[in-house]
Amino acid sequence: MGKRMNARILSLVLCAGPLFFCPPASAHVVFTFHGQVDFSRKQLDVVLDFLPPPESGPPANPADNHPSTVAVSAARTSPGDYRLSLDIEHLRTPLFDLLSKIEGSFEIVPPRVKGRIWSRDSLVDYRPIRELAGQFEIKDNRLFLNDLSVANLNCAGTLDMRYPYKMDLTVKLQDMAMKDFLDFWVRGNGYDSSGSVSGELGISGTPERLNLKGSLESYNGTIEQLAYNTIHLNAEGIYPDMRILDSTLSKADGVSVNFSGPFDLSDQENFQKQISALVFAPIVSGSLTQREWTIKRTRQAGAGSTEIKYLLRKDDRISGGSDMLGVQQRMDF
């Protein structure tokens, strides 16, 4: 009788929770929820109903006018083993609309929790994506992610579960669409782009002070009027203040330059101005006896490269020394 009464009371709290925790009238309710807990069966069922911001207005496409909900179900399958499922219907984030069925299994052996998570029937903006899959472990108040992958991303590392929530993560990108990459950093940019981005991004520190270090590359794409053959981008810094270092751009016509400089990821309104303010310079290398200027460079992903260089050599064999100018074309396979 006591357990049934507790279940009824908790069910009532879940249903009425939004009424008690509603912010003042000037604020916006993000979601409401209702559900129940069955203590005898050790099972939880909750549905979250997400509400659109009042200023958002009706969707541009009437087909997008779907309820946004997340149904959460959890149950104990055996002593120490639990099962969790999330049925996500049109969860709208600042970047995309998500539909997915996410499931997980957990084994609790104090003081450790181990588990795995996976998804099926996932759609991002109504397009199929590579499903979520990965393993994790919780011990010593730390979450360990082991090869967690979804769409074009793969993540591994650790996150502390106590303040200040330190983290040390490595995120690998594999052929992420340039449009999605730009939308992540500059929301609502509207840039016309093509191509894909691959590389690695290191994330460490705390949420208040995130240290980012990335090495990315892209081949044969466009960003607005810029058509490029290759982009190699190296950047690091404390978010949002980044510094681009020793990066290269080879345009579609083969003209190649190094570029570097500071970049503020939070200043999205001046994104293009910040790009124009970067320092662009010829690709120069050399030694005491020779300097090389790479004028044109063409390279395909996974293939060879072709370079045209101007060479300036100092020949000490000639009396008094002399400078010699030459041109070199090189093909690598």
Side-chain angles (χ1 to χ4, degrees):
M1 179 66 179
K3 290 184 178 179
R4 287 198 298 271
M5 180 62 69
N6 289 339
R8 291 173 183 171
I9 293 174
L10 184 54
S11 178
L12 178 62
V13 170
L14 289 172
C15 292
L19 299 178
F20 292 106
F21 294 99
C22 274
S26 60
H28 162 57
V29 178
V30 177
F31 64 85
T32 61
F33 61 98
H34 61 276
Q36 62 183 10
V37 177
D38 189 328
F39 287 99
S40 62
R41 296 182 179 179
K42 296 181 174 57
Q43 184 169 334
L44 163 72
D45 293 286
V46 177
V47 176
L48 309 179
D49 297 306
F50 289 84
L51 306 178
E55 68 277 5
S56 63
N61 185 353
D64 294 337
N65 191 21
H66 300 287
S68 181
T69 63
V70 177
V72 183
S73 178
R76 190 177 80 165
T77 56
S78 64
D81 293 327
Y82 296 83
R83 188 73 172 253
L84 172 70
S85 66
L86 304 175
D87 192 348
I88 301 173
E89 292 287 340
H90 298 286
L91 180 62
R92 296 177 181 89
T93 75
L95 300 178
F96 51 77
D97 179 291
L98 174 65
L99 294 92
S100 183
K101 299 184 187 300
I102 300 176
E103 299 183 24
S105 61
F106 312 89
E107 178 187 10
I108 302 178
V109 181
R112 185 182 67 180
V113 177
K114 293 184 65 176
R116 63 187 187 95
I117 190 170
W118 65 94
S119 69
R120 55 189 174 88
D121 304 330
S122 298
L123 299 175
V124 169
D125 290 336
Y126 304 97
R127 301 194 306 266
I129 63 170
R130 192 179 69 172
E131 299 290 352
L132 167 70
Q135 299 179 351
F136 68 90
E137 183 175 357
I138 300 174
K139 64 179 180 181
D140 300 327
N141 293 305
R142 180 174 291 181
L143 171 63
F144 296 82
L145 298 177
N146 302 317
D147 197 28
L148 181 67
S149 62
V150 60
N152 304 89
L153 301 176
N154 183 280
C155 180
T158 62
L159 299 92
D160 286 357
M161 302 182 68
R162 292 188 301 187
Y163 186 82
Y165 309 111
K166 291 183 179 179
M167 64 186 74
D168 188 0
L169 301 171
T170 298
V171 179
K172 295 182 179 179
L173 290 70
Q174 182 62 44
D175 295 328
M176 171 181 279
M178 177 62 77
K179 180 182 183 303
D180 295 337
F181 179 80
L182 294 175
D183 284 344
F184 179 81
W185 297 108
V186 188
R187 297 175 185 175
N189 60 79
Y191 296 141
D192 184 17
S193 61
S194 64
S196 61
V197 181
S198 299
E200 186 172 295
L201 178 66
I203 307 172
S204 60
T206 65
E208 292 83 6
R209 188 176 173 82
L210 277 183
N211 187 359
L212 304 180
K213 185 175 183 179
S215 179
L216 306 172
E217 60 184 21
S218 180
Y219 297 91
N220 301 321
T222 60
I223 303 175
E224 294 289 273
Q225 286 77 34
L226 172 64
Y228 61 88
N229 179 259
T230 60
I231 295 178
H232 291 274
L233 175 65
N234 298 297
E236 61 182 47
I238 305 298
Y239 181 87
D241 298 318
M242 307 296 294
R243 177 161 289 277
I244 297 175
L245 304 169
D246 192 27
S247 300
T248 61
L249 164 67
S250 296
K251 296 182 180 180
D253 60 7
V255 175
S256 301
V257 293
N258 282 325
F259 64 97
S260 60
F263 202 90
D264 183 359
L265 291 174
S266 65
D267 189 9
Q268 299 187 4
E269 293 183 358
N270 295 308
F271 183 78
Q272 291 183 325
K273 290 183 179 179
Q274 292 192 79
I275 292 179
S276 300
L278 294 174
V279 176
F280 292 85
I283 300 176
V284 180
S285 61
S287 62
L288 293 176
T289 60
Q290 175 176 297
R291 301 200 75 184
E292 300 178 354
W293 287 264
T294 300
I295 305 302
K296 289 193 175 184
R297 172 184 290 167
T298 305
R299 182 179 180 183
Q300 305 292 332
S305 65
T306 300
E307 294 183 349
I308 298 178
K309 295 183 177 183
Y310 284 100
L311 308 177
L312 183 62
R313 296 189 180 94
K314 188 174 183 63
D315 193 344
D316 292 331
R317 294 174 299 175
I318 301 177
S319 177
S322 176
D323 292 333
M324 300 178 60
L325 180 65
V327 178
Q328 172 182 298
Q329 181 169 355
R330 186 180 71 182
M331 300 182 67
D332 296 328
F333 298 95

